[in-house]
């Protein structure tokens, strides 16, 4: 059980780190707007963002905790494959959203929400036609680079701990389920 709690701890640090780096990259990408902020304002961006980062990480840790709990009941390693696959998918998904978000903010002045979906629905292919190929290429490069770095870090920091997990006792599942239930605290 201790090993699984350590894995959850590493995942928590990893996902909080990912969100902080994404926020820093957002500020760097929009440097012309960031320069208008004072140092205390920039610190507030990170402190206020930490609440959202903890919430998002809570959702990710809840899923990981449930997978780790289920892994106690099976001798094979399919649950570790699922856990690694889930986290890699989330890395790709988060970096893709962040890459789109930095460019949309530059044009629309607000962060990514459901407004682009409504815009795409009403404007159709004309909306996609207004995007310059160079912007798409730049965003794909950014997304690819960030994804590679995060997957590399995940592979170095978290995967070895997941691979080292040994079969646990089924009674440990109660503790892991309590930890999963406690994820409601950062989620809220």
């Amino acid at each position: 059980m201790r090993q699984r709690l350590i894995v959850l701890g590493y995942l928590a640090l990893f996902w909080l780190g990912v969100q902080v780096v994404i926020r820093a990259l957002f500020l760097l990408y929009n440097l012309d707007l960031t320069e208008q902020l004072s140092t205390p304002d920039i610190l507030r961006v990170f402190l206020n963002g930490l609440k959202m980062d903890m919430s998002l990480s809570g959702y990710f840790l809840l899923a990981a905790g449930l997978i780790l709990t289920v892994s106690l009941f099976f001798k094979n390693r399919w649950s570790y494959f699922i856990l690694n696959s889930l986290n890699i998918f989330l890395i790709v998904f988060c970096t893709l959203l962040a890459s789109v978000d930095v460019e949309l903010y530059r044009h629309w002045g607000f962060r990514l929400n459901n407004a682009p979906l409504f815009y795409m629905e009403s404007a159709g292919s004309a909306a996609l036609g207004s995007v310059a190929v160079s912007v798409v290429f730049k965003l794909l490069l950014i997304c690819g680079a960030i994804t590679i770095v995060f997957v590399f870090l995940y592979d170095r920091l978290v995967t070895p701990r997941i691979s080292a997990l040994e079969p646990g006792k089924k009674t440990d599942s109660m503790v892991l389920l309590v930890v999963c239930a406690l994820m409601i605290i950062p989620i809220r």
Side-chain angles (χ1 to χ4, degrees):
M1 174 188 58
R2 183 172 180 263
Q3 288 179 312
R4 284 167 174 75
L5 292 175
I6 289 171
V7 166
L8 282 175
Y10 272 88
L11 281 170
L13 292 175
F14 174 78
W15 281 112
L16 284 174
V18 164
Q19 299 304 318
V20 169
V21 168
I22 286 175
R23 184 162 289 105
L25 291 174
F26 180 89
L27 291 172
L28 283 173
Y29 189 87
N30 293 295
L31 191 58
D32 53 329
L33 299 172
T34 304
E35 288 174 338
Q36 298 171 11
L37 300 175
S38 66
T39 303
D41 288 338
I42 294 173
L43 289 175
R44 275 193 293 278
V45 165
F46 282 98
L47 288 175
N48 291 335
L50 191 59
K51 296 173 192 172
M52 292 183 291
D53 299 341
M54 288 172 43
S55 179
L56 182 63
S57 296
Y59 284 107
F60 295 168
L61 292 174
L62 176 61
L66 291 174
I67 292 169
L68 287 170
T69 302
V70 170
S71 75
L72 290 169
F73 295 95
F74 298 99
K75 298 283 185 208
N76 58 16
R77 304 202 45 91
W78 69 268
S79 53
Y80 309 123
F81 173 76
I82 291 174
L83 184 59
N84 282 326
S85 298
L86 171 69
N87 281 296
I88 299 228
F89 169 78
L90 291 173
I91 290 169
V92 171
F93 184 72
C94 287
T95 56
L96 181 63
L97 281 180
S99 299
V100 170
D101 188 33
V102 295
E103 189 63 34
L104 283 180
Y105 186 82
R106 184 175 281 276
H107 296 286
W108 291 4
F110 60 88
R111 302 292 305 265
L112 185 62
N113 58 19
N114 62 354
L117 298 176
F118 292 121
Y119 179 71
M120 293 296 287
E121 183 179 305
S122 65
S125 61
L128 289 176
S130 67
V131 178
V133 174
S134 62
V135 171
V136 172
F137 184 70
K138 177 175 62 170
L139 291 178
L140 287 175
L141 280 177
I142 291 170
C143 181
I146 296 170
T147 301
I148 288 169
V149 169
F150 287 154
V151 168
F152 175 79
L153 290 173
Y154 176 82
D155 190 50
R156 294 288 180 198
L157 301 174
V158 182
T159 301
R161 278 136 187 99
I162 293 172
S163 297
L165 287 176
E166 297 172 2
K169 295 179 254 174
K170 291 176 178 55
T171 56
D172 294 342
S173 63
M174 289 301 144
V175 174
L176 286 171
L177 286 174
V178 168
V179 170
C180 288
L182 290 175
M183 288 302 122
I184 194 70
I185 295 169
I187 288 172
R188 297 244 99 233

